[in-house]
Amino acid sequence: MTAIPIHVANQLLIAKQHLAPEHVGSDVLSVARDIGGLHATSPLSPYLSLWARVKGFKPESLDTALYSDRHLLRFTCMRATLHVVPTSLAPAYFQATKRRQRSSGRQLGLMLVRAGLCAEGTEGPALERLQDLVIETLRQHGPLTVEELKQQAPELSAQLPYATDKPYAGTFGLGSRLVSWMCASGVLVRGRPRGSRRSNLYEYHLLRHWLPGLDLEAPAPEAAEVSLVRS
């Protein structure tokens, strides 16, 4: 089979990424699908990505897709980082990356042990109890930020040590680490942030309330990986 010249491959990639003038996108949903999600670790990144790819892009169109229509979703997937992906593809992203999320759960459990919040060997039940605490707090009070969760459930204010044998050792707040893990596990979802579009003070919602018809367990992991690669 003849190899594709590198300049041709680059042109195809630029077109696929909607970065060529003749291949600009027409709407936020199709662009998010075509490029495999919008990187969103920085709150402004998805807006900048779309500004570069969608003709006449208006920030309000992304707000509407995320918070009103909910056709797009902030989701932890590739490289365990935050992306904006089409809601319809969220089950495939979830199944294709769930092995990494299980690993992050084990790491969080070890942090609980090191912080003295549970005994070794009881990490699973401890995480389940903390998860139930967050779920019940949100059920009672509605969407909350991490700081508001800590006010309602002071236990979440505990500090978790990391890299204790390294020069860069420090601590994570239990509340922020726990809700991030619960988002990656498909229990919670980040809603509209408080403040401007630069803010990362998200309100956290129960995913089953935010998107009641979404079934993250629908595809098999292998089928999910194949479907994402082909898309």
Side-chain angles (χ1 to χ4, degrees), residues 124-163:
L127 276 176
E128 185 174 346
R129 183 183 63 79
L130 288 168
Q131 180 172 267
D132 288 344
L133 174 62
V134 171
I135 291 172
E136 180 60 21
T137 303
L138 292 178
R139 190 190 66 79
Q140 290 184 12
H141 300 281
L144 298 172
T145 65
V146 170
E147 287 303 313
E148 291 168 340
L149 274 167
K150 291 193 296 186
Q151 291 170 14
Q152 298 297 330
E155 184 177 355
L156 300 178
S157 297
Q159 296 295 304
L160 303 178
Y162 70 89

